[in-house]
Amino acid sequence: MSSQPATTTLWRPTGPKELDLVRRSGWRAWPPRLPEQPIFYPVLNEDYAIRIARDWNVKHDGAGYVTRFEVESDFLSRYPVQQVGGRTILELWVPAEELDEFNAHIVGEIRLTHEFA
């Protein structure tokens, strides 16, 4: 009998273009970073993701979305938690060149949880 690996829930605030690429992947992977995006940064709490999607993505992209997904916890241990503001402003910084490997450790589908326009 095989057991599922322990997972960590992450959220990702995103705009319409990135969300469309996630949809095209079958809700299984994040798209490669653009040259000006050296880091992929999922966040560790939903409230922070909502604030970014609502307050930044809507202003810059016309719409903002929040996604939720699970990643194998053992794999994530290689990325230290980055506190980038208050005590709940927490991110993981995944180098762009490691995104394919990161995607391989997503468990299940990436789910859309919130939409803002």
Side-chain angles (χ1 to χ4, degrees), residues 100-114:
D100 285 344
E101 186 178 9
F102 179 91
N103 283 333
H105 292 274
I106 293 175
V107 176
E109 292 185 350
I110 298 166
R111 295 176 299 281
L112 178 62
T113 60
H114 299 282

Side-chain angles (χ1 to χ4, degrees), residues 75-93:
F75 174 77
L76 287 180
S77 66
R78 69 173 64 185
Y79 303 108
V81 173
Q82 305 292 326
Q83 184 174 356
V84 296
R87 66 179 175 82
T88 62
I89 310 298
L90 306 173
E91 303 174 347
L92 297 180
W93 293 353

